[in-house]
PDB file of all heavy atoms in Angstrom:
ATOM      1  N   MET A 120      -2.898  26.860  -4.257  1.00 98.00           N
ATOM      2  CA  MET A 120      -4.297  27.051  -3.899  1.00 98.00           C
ATOM      3  C   MET A 120      -4.913  25.730  -3.487  1.00 98.00           C
ATOM      4  O   MET A 120      -4.638  24.694  -4.135  1.00 98.00           O
ATOM      5  CB  MET A 120      -5.045  27.658  -5.073  1.00 98.00           C
ATOM      6  CG  MET A 120      -6.539  27.873  -4.848  1.00 98.00           C
ATOM      7  SD  MET A 120      -7.419  28.366  -6.296  1.00 98.00           S
ATOM      8  CE  MET A 120      -7.858  26.800  -7.010  1.00 98.00           C
ATOM      9  N   VAL A 130     -15.956  24.147  -9.903  1.00 97.00           N
ATOM     10  CA  VAL A 130     -16.071  25.568 -10.217  1.00 97.00           C
ATOM     11  C   VAL A 130     -16.557  25.746 -11.631  1.00 97.00           C
ATOM     12  O   VAL A 130     -16.540  26.852 -12.174  1.00 97.00           O
ATOM     13  CB  VAL A 130     -14.761  26.341  -9.986  1.00 97.00           C
ATOM     14  CG1 VAL A 130     -14.317  26.214  -8.526  1.00 97.00           C
ATOM     15  CG2 VAL A 130     -13.608  25.819 -10.864  1.00 97.00           C
ATOM     16  N   GLY A 131     -17.014  24.651 -12.258  1.00 96.00           N
ATOM     17  CA  GLY A 131     -17.609  24.691 -13.631  1.00 96.00           C
ATOM     18  C   GLY A 131     -16.546  24.611 -14.695  1.00 96.00           C
ATOM     19  O   GLY A 131     -15.359  24.785 -14.448  1.00 96.00           O
ATOM     20  N   PRO A 132     -17.006  24.318 -15.926  1.00 97.00           N
ATOM     21  CA  PRO A 132     -16.052  24.170 -17.000  1.00 97.00           C
ATOM     22  C   PRO A 132     -15.463  25.543 -17.367  1.00 97.00           C
ATOM     23  O   PRO A 132     -16.225  26.499 -17.562  1.00 97.00           O
ATOM     24  CB  PRO A 132     -16.905  23.628 -18.172  1.00 97.00           C
ATOM     25  CG  PRO A 132     -18.291  23.899 -17.792  1.00 97.00           C
ATOM     26  CD  PRO A 132     -18.397  23.962 -16.291  1.00 97.00           C
ATOM     27  N   HIS A 133     -14.149  25.639 -17.425  1.00 97.00           N
ATOM     28  CA  HIS A 133     -13.490  26.960 -17.660  1.00 97.00           C
ATOM     29  C   HIS A 133     -12.123  26.696 -18.207  1.00 97.00           C
ATOM     30  O   HIS A 133     -11.677  25.558 -18.330  1.00 97.00           O
ATOM     31  CB  HIS A 133     -13.445  27.739 -16.383  1.00 97.00           C
ATOM     32  CG  HIS A 133     -12.528  27.160 -15.341  1.00 97.00           C
ATOM     33  ND1 HIS A 133     -12.880  26.064 -14.578  1.00 97.00           N
ATOM     34  CD2 HIS A 133     -11.268  27.424 -15.014  1.00 97.00           C
ATOM     35  CE1 HIS A 133     -11.863  25.709 -13.792  1.00 97.00           C
ATOM     36  NE2 HIS A 133     -10.874  26.554 -14.025  1.00 97.00           N
ATOM     37  N   PHE A 134     -11.448  27.794 -18.539  1.00 97.00           N
ATOM     38  CA  PHE A 134     -10.004  27.676 -18.838  1.00 97.00           C
ATOM     39  C   PHE A 134      -9.281  28.761 -18.076  1.00 97.00           C
ATOM     40  O   PHE A 134      -9.849  29.740 -17.646  1.00 97.00           O
ATOM     41  CB  PHE A 134      -9.778  27.876 -20.366  1.00 97.00           C
ATOM     42  CG  PHE A 134     -10.213  29.230 -20.882  1.00 97.00           C
ATOM     43  CD1 PHE A 134      -9.275  30.311 -20.948  1.00 97.00           C
ATOM     44  CD2 PHE A 134     -11.514  29.448 -21.263  1.00 97.00           C
ATOM     45  CE1 PHE A 134      -9.674  31.533 -21.377  1.00 97.00           C
ATOM     46  CE2 PHE A 134     -11.926  30.708 -21.757  1.00 97.00           C
ATOM     47  CZ  PHE A 134     -10.971  31.745 -21.773  1.00 97.00           C
ATOM     48  N   ASP A 135      -7.986  28.513 -17.826  1.00 96.00           N
ATOM     49  CA  ASP A 135      -7.150  29.475 -17.132  1.00 96.00           C
ATOM     50  C   ASP A 135      -6.109  30.016 -18.086  1.00 96.00           C
ATOM     51  O   ASP A 135      -5.733  29.322 -19.073  1.00 96.00           O
ATOM     52  CB  ASP A 135      -6.481  28.862 -15.905  1.00 96.00           C
ATOM     53  CG  ASP A 135      -7.510  28.347 -14.918  1.00 96.00           C
ATOM     54  OD1 ASP A 135      -8.386  29.136 -14.499  1.00 96.00           O
ATOM     55  OD2 ASP A 135      -7.523  27.139 -14.557  1.00 96.00           O
ATOM     56  N   SER A 136      -5.551  31.207 -17.804  1.00 94.00           N
ATOM     57  CA  SER A 136      -4.529  31.733 -18.730  1.00 94.00           C
ATOM     58  C   SER A 136      -3.141  31.298 -18.340  1.00 94.00           C
ATOM     59  O   SER A 136      -2.189  31.697 -18.965  1.00 94.00           O
ATOM     60  CB  SER A 136      -4.635  33.247 -18.759  1.00 94.00           C
ATOM     61  OG  SER A 136      -4.568  33.744 -17.407  1.00 94.00           O
ATOM     62  N   TYR A 137      -3.065  30.505 -17.276  1.00 95.00           N
ATOM     63  CA  TYR A 137      -1.756  30.014 -16.808  1.00 95.00           C
ATOM     64  C   TYR A 137      -1.673  28.501 -16.754  1.00 95.00           C
ATOM     65  O   TYR A 137      -2.715  27.812 -16.784  1.00 95.00           O
ATOM     66  CB  TYR A 137      -1.468  30.640 -15.405  1.00 95.00           C
ATOM     67  CG  TYR A 137      -2.650  30.495 -14.475  1.00 95.00           C
ATOM     68  CD1 TYR A 137      -2.925  29.293 -13.825  1.00 95.00           C
ATOM     69  CD2 TYR A 137      -3.585  31.521 -14.314  1.00 95.00           C
ATOM     70  CE1 TYR A 137      -4.017  29.152 -13.003  1.00 95.00           C
ATOM     71  CE2 TYR A 137      -4.670  31.393 -13.479  1.00 95.00           C
ATOM     72  CZ  TYR A 137      -4.893  30.225 -12.851  1.00 95.00           C
ATOM     73  OH  TYR A 137      -5.990  30.062 -12.048  1.00 95.00           O
ATOM     74  N   VAL A 139      -1.086  24.951 -14.924  1.00 98.00           N
ATOM     75  CA  VAL A 139      -1.495  24.501 -13.551  1.00 98.00           C
ATOM     76  C   VAL A 139      -1.228  23.022 -13.398  1.00 98.00           C
ATOM     77  O   VAL A 139      -1.348  22.248 -14.324  1.00 98.00           O
ATOM     78  CB  VAL A 139      -2.965  24.877 -13.249  1.00 98.00           C
ATOM     79  CG1 VAL A 139      -3.925  24.127 -14.141  1.00 98.00           C
ATOM     80  CG2 VAL A 139      -3.304  24.661 -11.821  1.00 98.00           C
ATOM     81  N   LEU A 141      -2.675  20.073 -11.056  1.00 98.00           N
ATOM     82  CA  LEU A 141      -3.783  19.804 -10.136  1.00 98.00           C
ATOM     83  C   LEU A 141      -3.477  18.500  -9.425  1.00 98.00           C
ATOM     84  O   LEU A 141      -3.561  17.420 -10.025  1.00 98.00           O
ATOM     85  CB  LEU A 141      -5.069  19.696 -10.978  1.00 98.00           C
ATOM     86  CG  LEU A 141      -5.413  20.960 -11.714  1.00 98.00           C
ATOM     87  CD1 LEU A 141      -6.288  20.683 -12.962  1.00 98.00           C
ATOM     88  CD2 LEU A 141      -6.118  21.970 -10.814  1.00 98.00           C
ATOM     89  N   TRP A 150     -12.093  14.669 -13.624  1.00 98.00           N
ATOM     90  CA  TRP A 150     -11.722  15.782 -14.491  1.00 98.00           C
ATOM     91  C   TRP A 150     -12.110  15.467 -15.915  1.00 98.00           C
ATOM     92  O   TRP A 150     -11.852  14.362 -16.425  1.00 98.00           O
ATOM     93  CB  TRP A 150     -10.186  16.021 -14.446  1.00 98.00           C
ATOM     94  CG  TRP A 150      -9.717  16.696 -13.197  1.00 98.00           C
ATOM     95  CD1 TRP A 150      -9.112  16.094 -12.148  1.00 98.00           C
ATOM     96  CD2 TRP A 150      -9.862  18.123 -12.879  1.00 98.00           C
ATOM     97  NE1 TRP A 150      -8.838  17.068 -11.161  1.00 98.00           N
ATOM     98  CE2 TRP A 150      -9.291  18.274 -11.615  1.00 98.00           C
ATOM     99  CE3 TRP A 150     -10.404  19.192 -13.547  1.00 98.00           C
ATOM    100  CZ2 TRP A 150      -9.232  19.566 -10.963  1.00 98.00           C
ATOM    101  CZ3 TRP A 150     -10.335  20.467 -12.901  1.00 98.00           C
ATOM    102  CH2 TRP A 150      -9.783  20.597 -11.638  1.00 98.00           C
ATOM    103  N   LYS A 167     -16.047  32.374 -14.431  1.00 95.00           N
ATOM    104  CA  LYS A 167     -15.890  32.147 -15.876  1.00 95.00           C
ATOM    105  C   LYS A 167     -16.409  30.741 -16.167  1.00 95.00           C
ATOM    106  O   LYS A 167     -15.806  29.784 -15.748  1.00 95.00           O
ATOM    107  CB  LYS A 167     -14.412  32.201 -16.236  1.00 95.00           C
ATOM    108  CG  LYS A 167     -13.907  33.523 -16.677  1.00 95.00           C
ATOM    109  CD  LYS A 167     -12.485  33.514 -17.280  1.00 95.00           C
ATOM    110  CE  LYS A 167     -11.613  32.351 -16.945  1.00 95.00           C
ATOM    111  NZ  LYS A 167     -10.246  32.399 -17.440  1.00 95.00           N
ATOM    112  N   LEU A 188      -1.989  20.871 -16.801  1.00 98.00           N
ATOM    113  CA  LEU A 188      -2.704  21.475 -17.934  1.00 98.00           C
ATOM    114  C   LEU A 188      -1.987  22.724 -18.412  1.00 98.00           C
ATOM    115  O   LEU A 188      -1.650  23.625 -17.600  1.00 98.00           O
ATOM    116  CB  LEU A 188      -4.115  21.903 -17.535  1.00 98.00           C
ATOM    117  CG  LEU A 188      -5.125  20.767 -17.219  1.00 98.00           C
ATOM    118  CD1 LEU A 188      -6.420  21.332 -16.750  1.00 98.00           C
ATOM    119  CD2 LEU A 188      -5.340  19.889 -18.469  1.00 98.00           C
ATOM    120  N   TRP A 192      -6.279  25.338 -21.724  1.00 97.00           N
ATOM    121  CA  TRP A 192      -6.973  24.040 -21.880  1.00 97.00           C
ATOM    122  C   TRP A 192      -8.201  24.074 -21.021  1.00 97.00           C
ATOM    123  O   TRP A 192      -8.166  24.463 -19.835  1.00 97.00           O
ATOM    124  CB  TRP A 192      -6.075  22.892 -21.404  1.00 97.00           C
ATOM    125  CG  TRP A 192      -5.242  22.381 -22.592  1.00 97.00           C
ATOM    126  CD1 TRP A 192      -4.177  23.034 -23.194  1.00 97.00           C
ATOM    127  CD2 TRP A 192      -5.432  21.139 -23.276  1.00 97.00           C
ATOM    128  NE1 TRP A 192      -3.734  22.271 -24.240  1.00 97.00           N
ATOM    129  CE2 TRP A 192      -4.467  21.107 -24.315  1.00 97.00           C
ATOM    130  CE3 TRP A 192      -6.315  20.076 -23.123  1.00 97.00           C
ATOM    131  CZ2 TRP A 192      -4.368  20.015 -25.204  1.00 97.00           C
ATOM    132  CZ3 TRP A 192      -6.207  19.034 -24.011  1.00 97.00           C
ATOM    133  CH2 TRP A 192      -5.252  18.999 -25.011  1.00 97.00           C
ATOM    134  N   ALA A 193      -9.319  23.697 -21.623  1.00 98.00           N
ATOM    135  CA  ALA A 193     -10.577  23.716 -20.873  1.00 98.00           C
ATOM    136  C   ALA A 193     -10.600  22.559 -19.884  1.00 98.00           C
ATOM    137  O   ALA A 193     -10.104  21.461 -20.242  1.00 98.00           O
ATOM    138  CB  ALA A 193     -11.757  23.617 -21.854  1.00 98.00           C
ATOM    139  N   HIS A 194     -11.163  22.786 -18.731  1.00 98.00           N
ATOM    140  CA  HIS A 194     -11.277  21.709 -17.734  1.00 98.00           C
ATOM    141  C   HIS A 194     -12.449  21.910 -16.802  1.00 98.00           C
ATOM    142  O   HIS A 194     -12.879  23.007 -16.544  1.00 98.00           O
ATOM    143  CB  HIS A 194      -9.957  21.575 -16.921  1.00 98.00           C
ATOM    144  CG  HIS A 194      -9.464  22.848 -16.309  1.00 98.00           C
ATOM    145  ND1 HIS A 194      -8.892  23.868 -17.070  1.00 98.00           N
ATOM    146  CD2 HIS A 194      -9.412  23.307 -15.018  1.00 98.00           C
ATOM    147  CE1 HIS A 194      -8.523  24.859 -16.275  1.00 98.00           C
ATOM    148  NE2 HIS A 194      -8.824  24.543 -15.024  1.00 98.00           N
ATOM    149  N   ASP A 195     -12.908  20.790 -16.319  1.00 98.00           N
ATOM    150  CA  ASP A 195     -14.057  20.806 -15.376  1.00 98.00           C
ATOM    151  C   ASP A 195     -13.804  19.658 -14.410  1.00 98.00           C
ATOM    152  O   ASP A 195     -13.754  18.477 -14.798  1.00 98.00           O
ATOM    153  CB  ASP A 195     -15.383  20.590 -16.160  1.00 98.00           C
ATOM    154  CG  ASP A 195     -16.590  20.743 -15.286  1.00 98.00           C
ATOM    155  OD1 ASP A 195     -16.456  21.318 -14.177  1.00 98.00           O
ATOM    156  OD2 ASP A 195     -17.646  20.220 -15.627  1.00 98.00           O
ATOM    157  N   GLY A 196     -13.695  19.992 -13.116  1.00 98.00           N
ATOM    158  CA  GLY A 196     -13.381  18.935 -12.158  1.00 98.00           C
ATOM    159  C   GLY A 196     -14.558  18.839 -11.184  1.00 98.00           C
ATOM    160  O   GLY A 196     -14.956  19.804 -10.568  1.00 98.00           O
ATOM    161  N   SER A 206      -3.858  23.146  -6.226  1.00 98.00           N
ATOM    162  CA  SER A 206      -3.442  23.700  -7.531  1.00 98.00           C
ATOM    163  C   SER A 206      -2.122  24.405  -7.400  1.00 98.00           C
ATOM    164  O   SER A 206      -2.016  25.378  -6.628  1.00 98.00           O
ATOM    165  CB  SER A 206      -4.481  24.741  -8.030  1.00 98.00           C
ATOM    166  OG  SER A 206      -5.659  24.125  -8.332  1.00 98.00           O
TER     167      SER A 206
HETATM  168 CO1   CO B 402      -8.859  26.026 -13.575  1.00 82.03          CO
END
Side-chain angles (χ1 to χ4, degrees):
M120 177 186 87
V130 301
H133 67 284
F134 63 91
D135 299 306
S136 53
Y137 45 82
V139 66
L141 299 155
W150 285 104
K167 267 190 340 183
L188 292 176
W192 269 71
H194 51 288
D195 185 21
S206 295

